Amino acid sequence: MATFFGEVLSVYSRAVEDEEDDNDEDEDILKELDENREVLLQWYDSRHLMPCTNLIIAVGKNAASFVSVYVLSSASWEAVGHASLSNPNPCGPASAEPVCVFYRNKDTPAVIVCKISGYIEEDQQFQWTEKVFGCVQQDGLRVTVLSDGPVAEYKNTDFSCSSSSLFLRCLETKSSTIKPPCPLLEQPNIFTGIPAAVLSHCQVHQIPTVAYQCYSDAISPDSITMETYKLAFTTVGDIKVCPLPSADTIHKLVQTNQIQSNLYI
Amino acid sequence: MFVPEATTPSFKDFTLILPAIAVGNVGQLAVDLMVSTLGMKRVGYMHTDCLVPMVGPNPYSTSAENAGELHTTAEVYTDAEKKLAVLQIRSPIIQSRSRKFRKLLVSWIKASEFSQTVVLSSSHAYQRDDQQLKGTLLRYLVTPAMQKASGAALSELGWMEMEKVSPFPGLVDASAEPRLSIPGGGITKGLFTEGCDEELCLAVVLVFCSEGDNIPDAFTLVNHLNDWLLLVGNDKQGPEKWKIPSSWKLLFGNSHPLSIF
């Protein structure tokens, strides 16, 4: 595309990048690249299928912090597995940092919480979901997803709602029978990422699932945003939410995530 | 890849329409208009790792009762009376899996025994050559199998076939064979080529456009398709014959808050 000043700018499409012409060499390279994009699940228990009636998945800084502070802070949870992602660099070693950890309640072992602290790339989200659900028993399974969403991306014609920068919305699968404690997500908004991958899987496999997204303008964990998730947890059942977590625990979590500015040093 | 919603539907002798993820998302917008106008019913999902996951509330909602229904990345809708099936794809294809996705589509099309398949697509308007700059923005392509079935009908409509272009525009090279080029068309060319190899009855209908507000391009494409397939009666003219889905509001984001004034 030429501009008024004669320079030529490359034009890009928001929808598509042009396909390269196929050839056989590419297929081998793509296969090798795919092998390096594997999601590695490791269970500390050798059982093939984990018994599970209630699976809670927390993704996003505030959602993950909420489960850390309000749910997992009691002594009745034990880590039962984790997932890590292959290093995207095909020449590098596999990443040692788990991207998510699975916890089981010792008193009610069929309740599992999955806390996702890292980011799972778009091309690995489907695989992560299939592998996790491939490891849990699905009879009587109910799934709850908690996730963060930026309020700047929320579309609504009603400004009295979006002028508040902290609110919950949810989406549920066809087989879900609970009445969510917050409004359903309105058009034209969508969920993406792990909540979308999980909801898609559960819709197709008819697993009752509700995904909650807390829209806020917080870029790091804060106590007010974390508290908003308590409303979503009222429908989970089987799990006690700590009514008053210690101020030290919250402060430590918030401090850890604060960007340390050296502007005035 | 195809997972039925309830009982497995039969697609034998149905016409399948699917969009290519292409410049301006015109094919997808055109499919939205078809599903919304004809009140098509969802019959299944395309559950695949080739697409970026996304979900949302019912994009074709007609009442508060059905507004909250969950819809996923790729779904199949049908109109049994018209023997029409439509695959809507709502998110990009993961780049390294585009060939795998094409192969999955082709094998599903063959296994489902569709009588014909139409791919709605688009191509960068700015990359047209001198010939393509003249006349209509609409083009079509047909596989040999489709040429036998519907070639005459498309000729009668006066449709323009997509031209082959020189691989090196501007360079005079007698040995360079003109080739098919659909810049900005995503998997369109690959799907068409595989359709030819697999002897599918497949047509591509595309419009030249640029990124921007592509709603008028969607109407152009769907009206053009309607001239051939007669999906919607021609008693109403213009945009009124197509029903805009509820998901098209705020396509370019929120408008400015009045409180700033």
Side-chain angles (χ1 to χ4, degrees):
Chain A
M1 185 181 89
T3 66
F4 296 112
F5 301 103
E7 76 268 34
V8 176
L9 301 176
S10 56
V11 177
Y12 68 93
S13 164
R14 66 178 178 234
V16 67
E17 287 190 34
D18 268 335
E19 257 192 347
E20 304 280 331
D21 284 330
D22 290 337
N23 64 56
D24 291 332
E25 262 180 33
D26 288 346
E27 203 165 336
D28 293 330
I29 294 169
L30 286 173
K31 197 173 161 196
E32 202 182 312
L33 283 172
D34 241 357
E35 281 163 13
N36 285 315
R37 302 293 295 158
E38 222 190 312
V39 174
L40 306 159
L41 271 188
Q42 193 183 336
W43 299 103
Y44 311 148
D45 189 318
S46 59
R47 269 181 285 189
H48 175 59
L49 278 180
M50 303 280 285
C52 186
T53 53
N54 217 331
L55 173 63
I56 297 101
I57 300 171
V59 50
K61 287 183 179 164
N62 275 291
S65 301
F66 167 77
V67 294
S68 290
V69 168
Y70 286 84
V71 178
L72 302 173
S73 51
S74 79
S76 51
W77 293 90
E78 56 177 356
V80 290
H82 69 260
S84 52
L85 307 174
S86 294
N87 193 310
N89 178 352
C91 304
S95 168
E97 276 298 314
V99 71
C100 74
V101 182
F102 298 90
Y103 300 89
R104 181 173 54 198
N105 191 294
K106 291 177 198 167
D107 304 325
T108 42
V111 177
I112 296 180
V113 168
C114 168
K115 189 177 87 165
I116 301 177
S117 44
Y119 178 68
I120 301 174
E121 299 280 346
E122 281 173 350
D123 64 324
Q124 293 171 313
Q125 287 161 3
F126 185 96
Q127 195 196 145
W128 180 92
T129 308
E130 295 290 301
K131 286 198 170 180
V132 168
F133 281 87
C135 292
V136 297
Q137 278 175 358
Q138 301 200 5
D139 291 332
L141 175 64
R142 228 177 43 167
V143 181
T144 306
V145 182
L146 307 177
S147 64
D148 298 347
V151 74
E153 287 179 9
Y154 180 76
K155 293 181 192 166
N156 201 302
T157 48
D158 177 8
F159 279 103
S160 61
C161 152
S162 56
S163 58
S164 153
S165 59
L166 197 60
F167 51 92
L168 266 186
R169 289 292 183 270
C170 69
L171 281 173
E172 53 182 357
T173 58
K174 198 173 173 181
S175 46
S176 171
T177 50
I178 62 142
K179 189 167 159 25
C182 67
L184 290 172
L185 187 69
E186 305 95 336
Q187 274 291 344
N189 297 288
I190 57 171
F191 285 173
T192 55
I194 287 293
V198 169
L199 275 171
S200 296
H201 177 94
C202 294
Q203 172 80 350
V204 161
H205 292 94
Q206 294 169 31
I207 300 170
T209 302
V210 185
Y212 297 93
Q213 185 138 290
C214 177
Y215 287 93
S216 85
D217 53 12
I219 52 170
S220 53
D222 72 84
S223 52
I224 301 170
T225 309
M226 280 189 243
E227 277 222 19
T228 314
Y229 284 108
K230 274 195 197 172
L231 183 64
F233 237 65
T234 53
T235 56
V236 171
D238 295 337
I239 302 176
K240 287 195 186 74
V241 169
C242 174
L244 213 62
S246 80
D248 279 341
T249 315
I250 297 180
H251 183 73
K252 197 172 155 193
L253 201 68
V254 169
Q255 276 291 95
T256 316
N257 282 280
Q258 248 176 16
I259 299 163
Q260 298 303 322
S261 170
N262 60 1
L263 186 64
Y264 297 108
I265 291 174
Chain B
M1 178 155 108
F2 175 73
V3 179
E5 175 134 44
T7 52
T8 309
S10 168
F11 295 121
K12 195 166 162 29
D13 299 331
F14 272 50
T15 294
L16 171 68
I17 298 176
L18 67 119
I21 317 292
V23 56
N25 305 95
V26 178
Q28 295 157 284
L29 293 171
V31 164
D32 263 353
L33 286 171
M34 276 185 263
V35 175
S36 177
T37 307
L38 299 174
M40 295 176 82
K41 193 172 146 277
R42 181 175 64 191
V43 296
Y45 310 90
M46 285 301 196
H47 194 55
T48 169
D49 65 345
C50 299
L51 300 170
V52 175
M54 62 76 64
V55 293
N58 187 358
Y60 313 115
S61 65
T62 49
S63 65
E65 283 75 37
N66 63 29
E69 264 174 30
L70 187 73
H71 284 250
T72 63
T73 314
E75 297 176 324
V76 180
Y77 299 80
T78 59
D79 182 327
E81 204 185 298
K82 291 184 167 34
K83 290 202 131 197
L84 178 68
V86 149
L87 164 63
Q88 176 61 302
I89 305 171
R90 299 191 171 99
S91 69
I93 302 168
I94 290 168
Q95 217 169 357
S96 56
R97 295 186 194 147
S98 125
R99 182 190 280 195
K100 179 183 172 186
F101 186 61
R102 282 196 331 252
K103 291 198 182 304
L104 285 172
L105 275 179
V106 167
S107 69
W108 176 65
I109 290 169
K110 283 178 88 167
S112 305
E113 297 184 289
F114 290 106
S115 62
Q116 58 183 7
T117 302
V118 181
V119 179
L120 298 181
S121 184
S122 49
S123 183
H124 282 306
Y126 80 93
Q127 286 203 315
R128 288 174 289 169
D129 68 11
D130 293 344
Q131 282 301 112
Q132 290 170 325
L133 281 171
K134 302 172 200 165
T136 176
L137 293 169
L138 293 151
R139 297 288 189 277
Y140 80 96
L141 281 165
V142 284
T143 58
M146 183 64 126
Q147 176 67 33
K148 280 186 210 155
S150 303
L154 296 177
S155 293
E156 261 179 59
L157 285 168
W159 281 18
M160 192 142 183
E161 199 168 354
M162 183 70 168
E163 305 90 334
K164 290 197 169 143
V165 295
S166 159
F168 306 108
L171 286 180
V172 177
D173 182 354
S175 61
E177 285 263 340
R179 58 177 193 145
L180 181 64
S181 174
I182 310 177
I187 62 167
T188 307
K189 182 182 161 186
L191 204 50
F192 175 72
T193 311
E194 280 183 29
C196 292
D197 294 341
E198 298 289 331
E199 294 174 1
L200 294 182
C201 216
L202 186 141
V204 172
V205 185
L206 66 86
V207 63
F208 287 115
C209 68
S210 301
E211 291 286 350
D213 179 357
N214 297 105
I215 291 174
D217 300 304
F219 277 108
T220 302
L221 189 60
V222 80
N223 279 322
H224 191 61
L225 182 71
N226 195 50
D227 289 341
W228 171 31
L229 295 180
L230 302 172
L231 304 168
V232 166
N234 277 321
D235 47 332
K236 285 188 198 155
Q237 292 303 316
E240 291 82 31
K241 69 173 171 239
W242 301 102
K243 185 176 164 200
I244 291 180
S246 55
S247 54
W248 282 21
K249 64 182 180 193
L250 301 177
L251 215 49
F252 299 99
N254 289 336
S255 64
H256 53 273
L258 296 175
S259 55
I260 63 172
F261 298 111

